[in-house]
């Protein structure tokens, strides 16, 4: 059984896509719902269907756990299940940003922990409705030593049984860093300016701070042993993605609009903490993180 921890937009996308008789969702601690999870799923081709997923029974031992909570909830959510989860069961983390993956790997270094970086898009416009909003791909790679090549290949094959595109990735941290650059350069600006991605490009806040931000990220990437990147190249990538997704609302803006906690602590906040530990100044990341934190109920 493939167990999904965190039945939000991403968790429900996987639950709707994986083989129905092999997938279950994990209930929050202390909850044992009487009826299966049921929702309307709007697929990429516009078709709608009802998806019904059972809750994992206490007696069931999953072969794989997909963790699709927000970054800030991940450690607590996993702590509630690891007592009863055999130590050999792979755990796949789907969180955006960086920091939560390392927290899990450091907390359970003996377990096979993998991280996923996905460009699939899903949202939940109402509690009972999930939309597969954008086709993408998912890269999967090891965070601990026991997540060896065989486990990685098996997990990738299991996830690919969903029909979604899945690639094994030996350098998953490198891929997560590439995504972090984009998220750090777009999300806080969209949240602070309350605008879609493309509209940040001509805003004074972005124009005044993007070069400083890219310099800080380039310094941190180099200190972390990531391939050296010119700040101007980072800026170009951020601006290209902002242009290509001009009408999109970032998850951070959407979280603020809906009064939900953002993942700022695992995006610009992660960069600030890394800078502190490496003695690298990050005033722009700090300003962005603090201003977004002031807007959100974190
Ligand atoms: N959605 C996307 O398109 C997308 C794309 C790429 C990456 N991601 C990443 O995937 C992660 C999940 O995103 P999302 O959009 O699916 O967020 P979401 O809709 O907020 O889903 C998170 C789910 O986790 C549940 N949860 C929180 N704590 C829990 C616990 N202790 N035990 C069990 N369930 C718990 C929440 O329950 P409640 O509903 O009760 O709060 C919620 O249903 C994020 O890190 C995000 O950055 C998402």
């Amino acid at each position: 059984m493939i167990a999904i921890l965190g039945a939000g937009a991403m968790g429900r996308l996987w639950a709707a896509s994986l083989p129905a008789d092999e997938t279950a969702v994990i209930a929050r601690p202390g909850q044992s719902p009487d009826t299966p999870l049921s929702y309307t799923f709007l697929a990429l081709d516009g078709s709608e269907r009802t998806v019904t997923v059972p809750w994992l029974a206490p007696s069931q031992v999953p072969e794989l756990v997909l963790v699709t909570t927000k970054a800030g909830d991940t450690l607590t959510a996993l702590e509630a299940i690891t007592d009863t989860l055999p130590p050999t069961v792979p755990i796949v983390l789907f969180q955006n940003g960086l920091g939560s993956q390392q927290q899990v790997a450091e907390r359970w270094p003996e377990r096979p922990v993998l991280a996923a970086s996905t460009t699939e898009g899903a949202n939940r416009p109402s509690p009972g409705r999930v939309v597969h909003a954008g086709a993408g791909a998912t890269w999967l790679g090891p965070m601990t030593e026991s997540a060896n090549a065989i486990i990685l290949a098996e997990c990738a094959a299991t996830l690919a049984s969903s029909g979604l595109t899945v690639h094994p990735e030996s350098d998953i941290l490198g891929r997560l860093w590439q995504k972090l650059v984009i998220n750090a350069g777009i999300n806080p600006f969209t949240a602070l300016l309350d605008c879609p991605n493309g509209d940040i490009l001509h805003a004074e806040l972005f124009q005044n701070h993007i070069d400083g931000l890219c310099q800080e990220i380039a310094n941190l990437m180099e200190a972390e042993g990531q391939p050296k990147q010119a700040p101007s190249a980072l800026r170009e990538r951020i601006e290209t993605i902002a242009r290509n997704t001009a009408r999109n609302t970032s998850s951070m803006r959407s979280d603020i609009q809906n009064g939900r906690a953002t993942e700022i602590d695992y995006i610009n906040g992660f960069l600030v903490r890394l800078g502190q530990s490496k003695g690298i100044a990050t005033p722009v990341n700090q300003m962005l993180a603090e201003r977004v934190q002031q807007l959100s109920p974190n």
Side-chain angles (χ1 to χ4, degrees), residues 33-38 52-55:
D34 319 321
T35 52
L37 179 69
S38 181
T52 305
V53 197
W55 297 95

Side-chain angles (χ1 to χ4, degrees), residues 251-262 295-298:
S251 55
M252 197 172 285
R253 179 188 184 210
S254 169
D255 283 340
I256 298 280
Q257 285 176 333
N258 290 292
R260 295 188 300 243
T262 70
L295 291 182
S296 66
N298 277 1

Side-chain angles (χ1 to χ4, degrees), residues 174-224:
R175 198 166 275 279
L176 288 166
W177 262 105
Q178 297 306 322
K179 195 166 185 210
L180 182 73
V181 169
I182 306 302
N183 287 150
I186 294 180
N187 291 18
F189 293 108
T190 63
L192 294 171
L193 297 163
D194 190 16
C195 69
N197 295 357
D199 290 8
I200 63 174
L201 292 167
H202 303 291
E204 212 172 286
L205 182 70
F206 182 84
Q207 291 285 336
N208 288 347
H209 293 293
I210 189 62
D211 285 330
L213 182 78
C214 291
Q215 182 66 61
E216 291 174 17
I217 298 175
N219 295 345
L220 291 165
M221 290 182 78
E222 194 177 352
E224 276 294 86

Side-chain angles (χ1 to χ4, degrees), residues 4-13 26-29 31 67-74 76-78 80-81 94-97 100 116-124 131 133-134 179 183 251 255 260 263 267:
I4 296 176
L5 179 61
M10 188 46 61
R12 290 177 192 221
L13 167 64
I26 302 178
R28 277 176 176 269
Q31 293 187 358
V67 187
T68 50
T69 50
K70 290 280 185 106
D73 295 322
T74 297
T76 312
L78 270 169
I81 67 159
F94 275 84
Q95 289 62 44
N96 250 341
S100 68
S117 178
T118 187
T119 54
E120 299 289 349
N123 59 61
R124 195 145 71 113
V131 180
K179 195 166 185 210
N183 287 150
S251 55
D255 283 340
R260 295 188 300 243
E263 295 190 302
I267 301 177

Side-chain angles (χ1 to χ4, degrees), residues 3 14-15 21 41 49 59 82 88-89 100 107 154 163 186 191 208 217 229 239 263 283 289 293:
W14 285 96
D21 53 350
F41 180 71
R49 65 189 163 93
S59 58
T82 40
T88 52
V89 176
S100 68
R107 177 81 171 74
E154 283 171 359
I186 294 180
N208 288 347
I217 298 175
Q229 310 243 5
E239 291 186 339
E263 295 190 302
Q293 276 153 358

Side-chain angles (χ1 to χ4, degrees), residues 12 14 35-36 41 44 54 75 110 112 150 182 194 214 223 234 238 274 282 288:
R12 290 177 192 221
W14 285 96
T35 52
F41 180 71
L44 281 171
L75 207 54
E110 309 303 330
I150 297 169
I182 306 302
D194 190 16
C214 291
L234 298 181
I238 290 166
L274 184 63
T282 57
L288 292 171

